[in-house]
Amino acid sequence: MNHAEAYERVYRRVLPLLNANTAGAEVPTCPGWTVKDVVAHLAGLFTAYRSGDPKEAFSPDWGDREVNARRDHSLDEDIAEWGRLLKDPGDLFESHLAPVAVSDVLAHEQDIRTALQEPGARDDENIVPAVEMGLAFVEKKAEAAGLPALKVITGEIDRQVGEGDPVATLRTSSYELFRALHGRRTIEQVRAMEWDGDPGPWMSVFFLFGPPTERAVEE
């Protein structure tokens, strides 16, 4: 995958969704953020990466920190900064964080689309790699927690998470799995997916950033 090109494609899709009328729209899948805040966050990923030690730059509150740093900016200023940083990203797209950046922008494109009720791009070719990366994180957490193996099946993915015989199987779409892994589906929504076996044991490790407390509304 060319991560820079993958990111650029999403950027080009998002730009037409941004204007003065949409800037203040609340984003239900990012509680407390508006569309403008999401754009600020996207610009902030680049500045966080360029700031030095990634472990420090991407501390747990880094997203809100970058949004708050741009609180007084206009949407146009955030868009301009995002575009400028994308043109000069340093070595971000050659680093180990390149797939994370692509996954992040894919997730936030859908957040913006959800806020504006403008569905689209759910079949982006990089959603499957983002899901695979997410499942790798889930697998590490599941193994650390001593959980049994889980089978995950979508139209494009047939993967076992963990070792040994799987004791449950989840069948869903790659898009729904992508949204769920990124915390855009509640525990109740995930449990309501098509499971063969009890999903309960995996709910503590299934969400990359923790589960949301409110139900996401997406068509």
Side-chain angles (χ1 to χ4, degrees), residues 5 12 36 132 199:
E5 290 181 0
R12 293 297 174 190
K36 185 188 98 61
E132 293 280 9

Side-chain angles (χ1 to χ4, degrees), residues 162-182:
E163 298 182 356
D165 294 332
V167 300
T169 300
L170 169 63
R171 292 178 174 85
T172 187
S173 68
S174 295
Y175 176 78
E176 278 298 312
L177 185 54
F178 174 68
R179 297 299 276 162
L181 289 170
H182 284 78

